[in-house]
């Protein structure tokens, strides 16, 4: 978070600190307007310009919901771009040092397990917590919201610790199944890497939940920028401790996540939150979170299983296939993550607020607006990536241990992965609306279909395209998921419109969560 600080002419006292976030930018203007008369003319001119900028920023930020979402998207998108550019630089160093070596295969499989569990535990928890948290904050006040946050924190930390323990205790059961094509030596390396990387599950999970609460308060900038730390730490280790080999990647990831979690926690505490977990029992609000968390975690488990299936099926192919699949996916992931992170992070608080206030016309307007924007922006980008796939891979990766044959394979994988871009981003918008409407049950059905389709198409396309067939299968899965979830959301919004136009007395209206079922 960038701070602009103004001092008097003696430099002895801070007069104002303005947080450079969309909705905190105008805070402390009183101090600026009351600078001592001895301030220089130059400083007054600078302050006058700043006041004009902040006035404009405040006017735009307090406009329509769509304009506020757009500003939040810009802030999150800019921070995400910086973070992902650093991540790409890190990947370039990794490609130069390791290429598609077997030890990188081992690291990626080891990383798959905690990443898989992290998406299920923390990602699902955020989807269940934030809509209820915003509803409680809007209707019952900050004190009740803090109470919910404290109880949910204790619950989530306990769940993360328990999940990590189960993950490590059951390694001998699942790891041989995921590394079917690995040699005994490669399997042993994967085992050691998994143990070393396991703290990431707890650190990233806690940081993710804290960051989601900051976003719920419309403090988007810090949460978007803080992921820059992990790739920076990793690159430093790759240069400074070359003898550590692939364990540099593990150390950089765990150390970076610890620093990121600490920074987010400090800022959250500065916002007035108590970070101490406290249990107040299963009250009405926490029960609501639990009811939404159960279907969300099942749906997330099934959906994230597609990535786990992809990695394990790639391990059955020739050596280097897992690494090649990862390279091809990560290059496509850059625009996907930037767009989907900016969009889904920005819309979640506003969708939740509109649901809490029964503003269904506003929801329909914002949903239609941003769905059209997604396809208008992402379809041309998809075409460009497919047409320029091989030159992109050659320019970015072909050096050191990464040869021309690797370029051809990864370029083909990248082209197949690129087909998912519009549908993946569209799915993120739909899923955020589903979570805000507290109808996560549909995610179970959709994710079950996705997993079954993914396994079947993997086997079919692998016979035709090899490892690139797995990427093509993933794109088809997201196409199906988009249309399935879109049908569900449109049907529910239509039923709500019908119910609102029905002349039923106000005191007989159903609650929001019943009305949309």
């Amino acid at each position: 978070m960038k701070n602009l600080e103004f001092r008097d002419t003696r430099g002895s006292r801070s007069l104002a600190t303005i947080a450079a976030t969309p909705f905190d930018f105008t805070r402390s203007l009183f101090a600026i307007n009351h600078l001592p008369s001895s301030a220089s003319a130059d400083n007054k001119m600078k302050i006058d310009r700043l006041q004009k900028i902040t006035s404009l920023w405040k006017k735009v930020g307090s406009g329509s919901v769509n304009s506020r979402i757009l500003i939040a998207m810009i802030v999150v998108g800019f921070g995400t771009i910086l973070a992902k550019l650093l991540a790409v630089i890190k990947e370039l160093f990794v490609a130069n040092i390791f290429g598609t070596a077997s030890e990188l295969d081992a690291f990626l499989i080891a990383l798959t397990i905690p990443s898989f569990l992290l998406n299920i535990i923390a990602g699902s928890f955020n989807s269940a917590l934030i809509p209820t948290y915003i509803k409680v904050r809007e209707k019952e006040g900050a004190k009740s919201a803090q109470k919910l946050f404290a109880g949910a924190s204790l619950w989530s930390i306990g769940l993360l610790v328990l999940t990590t323990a189960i993950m490590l205790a059951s390694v001998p059961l699942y790891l041989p199944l995921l590394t079917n094509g690995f040699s005994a030596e490669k399997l042993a390396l994967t085992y050691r890497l998994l143990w070393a990387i396991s703290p990431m599950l707890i650190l990233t999970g806690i940081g993710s939940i804290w960051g989601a609460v900051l976003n719920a308060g419309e403090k988007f900038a810090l949460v978007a920028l803080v992921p820059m730390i992990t790739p920076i730490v990793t690159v430093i280790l790759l240069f400074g401790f070359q003898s550590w080999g692939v364990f540099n990647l593990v150390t950089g990831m765990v150390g970076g996540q610890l620093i990121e979690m600490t920074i987010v926690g400090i800022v959250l505490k500065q916002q007035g939150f108590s970070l101490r977990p406290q249990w107040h029992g299963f009250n009405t609000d926490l029960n609501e979170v639990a009811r939404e968390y159960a279907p969300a975690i099942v749906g997330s488990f099934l959906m994230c299983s597609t990535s786990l299936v992809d990695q394990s099926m790639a391990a059955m192919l020739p050596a280097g296939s897992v690494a090649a699949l990862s390279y091809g996916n990560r290059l496509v992931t850059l625009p996907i993550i930037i767009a989907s992170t900016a969009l889904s992070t920005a819309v979640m608080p506003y969708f939740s607020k509109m649901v809490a206030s029964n503003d269904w016309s506003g929801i329909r307007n914002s949903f239609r607006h941003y769905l059209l924007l997604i396809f208008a922006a992402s379809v041309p980008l998809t075409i460009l990536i497919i047409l320029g796939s091989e030159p992109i891979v050659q320019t970015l990766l072909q050096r050191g241990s990464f040869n021309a044959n690797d370029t051809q394979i990864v370029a083909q994988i990248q082209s197949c992965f690129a087909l998912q871009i519009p549908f993946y981003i569209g799915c993120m918008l739909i899923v955020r609306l589903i979570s805000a409407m507290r109808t996560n049950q549909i995610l179970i059905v959709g994710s079950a279909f996705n997993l079954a389709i993914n396994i079947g198409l993997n086997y079919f396309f692998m016979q035709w395209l090899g490892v690139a067939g797995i990427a093509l299968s993933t794109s088809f899965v997201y196409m199906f998921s988009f249309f399935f979830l879109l049908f569900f959301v449109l049907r529910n919004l239509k039923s709500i419109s019908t119910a609102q136009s029905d002349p039923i007395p106000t005191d007989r209206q159903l609650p929001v969560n019943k009305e949309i079922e």
Side-chain angles (χ1 to χ4, degrees):
M1 181 177 291
K2 182 179 178 182
N3 288 331
L4 304 177
E5 187 169 307
F6 295 85
R7 298 181 180 273
D8 62 14
T9 53
R10 297 177 301 277
S12 60
R13 182 167 60 92
S14 174
L15 297 173
T17 301
I18 304 177
T21 61
F23 307 108
D24 282 336
F25 194 74
T26 57
R27 188 172 292 178
S28 302
L29 282 179
F30 174 83
I32 295 178
N33 289 328
H34 292 79
L35 284 170
S37 58
S38 58
S40 67
D42 184 56
N43 283 341
K44 288 182 178 179
M45 290 177 60
K46 291 179 181 178
I47 292 169
D48 183 60
R49 287 197 296 267
L50 180 62
Q51 285 178 319
K52 292 179 180 178
I53 294 172
T54 54
S55 177
L56 177 62
W57 187 262
K58 182 177 180 180
K59 181 179 178 180
V60 177
S62 60
S64 67
V65 172
N66 283 345
S67 66
R68 291 159 67 190
I69 291 175
L70 180 61
I71 292 175
M73 283 179 59
I74 293 171
V75 172
V76 177
F78 179 73
T80 306
I81 287 172
L82 293 178
K84 290 304 173 183
L85 284 176
L86 286 172
V88 168
I89 292 172
K90 183 205 75 175
E91 291 300 321
L92 298 181
F93 284 113
V94 171
N96 184 61
I97 294 171
F98 297 103
T100 55
S102 293
E103 59 180 337
L104 187 59
D105 277 353
F107 168 76
L108 294 171
I109 289 294
L111 179 61
T112 298
I113 309 303
S115 297
F116 169 73
L117 294 173
L118 183 64
N119 287 330
I120 294 173
I121 302 299
S124 301
F125 194 82
N126 291 344
S127 298
L129 171 64
I130 297 307
T132 303
Y133 171 83
I134 290 177
K135 185 192 75 171
V136 171
R137 186 189 65 193
E138 295 294 312
K139 294 186 175 182
E140 302 176 29
K143 187 175 181 180
S144 296
Q146 171 64 53
K147 185 177 178 180
L148 174 62
F149 171 65
S153 295
L154 182 62
W155 179 17
S156 62
I157 292 171
L159 191 58
L160 289 167
V161 172
L162 178 62
T163 302
T164 302
I166 294 173
M167 177 188 73
L168 294 176
S170 57
V171 166
L173 299 178
Y174 62 79
L175 195 57
L177 298 177
L178 297 176
T179 57
N180 191 30
F182 283 14
S183 65
E185 181 181 357
K186 193 172 178 180
L187 176 60
L189 175 60
T190 307
Y191 183 87
R192 295 196 303 273
L193 289 168
L194 179 56
W195 272 86
I197 208 171
S198 60
M200 184 196 77
L201 181 56
I202 298 173
L203 299 174
T204 310
I206 295 173
S208 173
I209 294 167
W210 289 353
V213 173
L214 275 180
N215 285 333
E218 299 174 6
K219 307 295 187 294
F220 299 104
L222 174 76
V223 181
L225 289 170
V226 78
M228 297 168 58
I229 294 171
T230 295
I232 291 174
V233 172
T234 303
V235 170
I236 291 172
L237 291 172
L238 285 173
F239 274 107
F241 301 90
Q242 296 182 13
S243 62
W244 290 7
V246 74
F247 281 91
N248 273 321
L249 302 179
V250 175
T251 308
M253 185 159 292
V254 174
Q257 293 297 330
L258 175 60
I259 297 172
E260 291 178 14
M261 184 198 74
T262 302
I263 293 174
V264 173
I266 291 172
V267 174
L268 194 62
K269 191 171 181 63
Q270 290 176 345
Q271 296 294 324
F273 287 85
S274 172
L275 301 182
R276 185 177 63 180
Q278 288 182 303
W279 187 246
H280 302 283
F282 271 104
N283 56 22
T284 303
D285 299 327
L286 202 55
N287 280 331
E288 183 176 332
V289 175
R291 284 196 304 270
E292 290 303 315
Y293 186 51
I297 197 171
V298 174
S300 182
F301 171 80
L302 293 172
M303 192 62 203
C304 291
S305 295
T306 59
S307 176
L308 197 61
V309 167
D310 288 349
Q311 295 280 359
S312 60
M313 294 182 75
M316 299 165 57
L317 296 172
S321 294
V322 175
L325 188 70
S326 176
Y327 285 129
N329 186 33
R330 293 193 182 188
L331 292 171
V332 171
T333 296
L334 181 62
I336 284 179
I337 294 299
I338 291 172
S340 62
T341 299
L343 182 66
S344 61
T345 301
V347 300
M348 187 66 170
Y350 298 105
F351 277 167
S352 298
K353 283 184 179 180
M354 287 188 283
V355 169
S357 60
N358 287 342
D359 183 11
W360 298 107
S361 62
I363 287 176
R364 286 190 292 271
N365 177 269
S366 295
F367 179 70
R368 182 170 54 249
H369 177 84
Y370 283 101
L371 196 60
L372 292 173
L373 181 62
I374 285 169
F375 277 85
S378 61
V379 169
L381 175 63
T382 300
I383 295 172
L384 287 175
I385 292 177
I386 292 174
L387 294 178
S389 187
E390 188 166 342
I392 292 172
V393 176
Q394 187 176 38
T395 302
L396 294 177
L397 298 177
Q398 189 174 319
R399 60 182 58 85
S401 300
F402 199 99
N403 57 40
N405 183 59
D406 295 330
T407 295
Q408 291 182 351
I409 295 172
V410 172
Q412 187 181 26
I413 294 170
Q414 181 177 267
S415 296
C416 293
F417 268 132
L419 293 171
Q420 70 181 291
I421 292 176
F423 304 99
Y424 185 105
I425 301 172
C427 278
M428 291 301 101
L429 177 68
I430 298 172
V431 168
R432 287 295 179 260
L433 179 55
I434 289 172
S435 296
M437 294 166 68
R438 300 190 293 279
T439 53
N440 287 321
Q441 294 83 356
I442 191 60
L443 298 179
I444 299 177
V445 180
S447 299
F449 279 126
N450 289 343
L451 181 59
I453 293 171
N454 186 60
I455 294 173
L457 291 181
N458 275 356
Y459 274 113
F460 176 75
F461 288 130
M462 279 170 59
Q463 310 302 318
W464 175 31
L465 295 172
V467 67
I470 296 176
L472 184 61
S473 170
T474 299
S475 292
F476 274 103
V477 167
Y478 280 109
M479 290 179 193
F480 167 80
S481 181
F482 171 80
F483 288 111
F484 176 83
L485 295 177
L486 179 63
F487 170 79
F488 168 80
V489 166
L490 293 179
R491 186 189 67 179
N492 278 268
L493 289 176
K494 183 178 180 181
S495 67
I496 291 169
S497 298
T498 303
Q500 287 181 332
S501 62
D502 194 4
I504 299 176
T506 304
D507 59 355
R508 294 177 55 194
Q509 291 287 349
L510 293 172
V512 172
N513 62 329
K514 297 293 184 183
E515 188 175 300
I516 61 180
E517 289 182 349

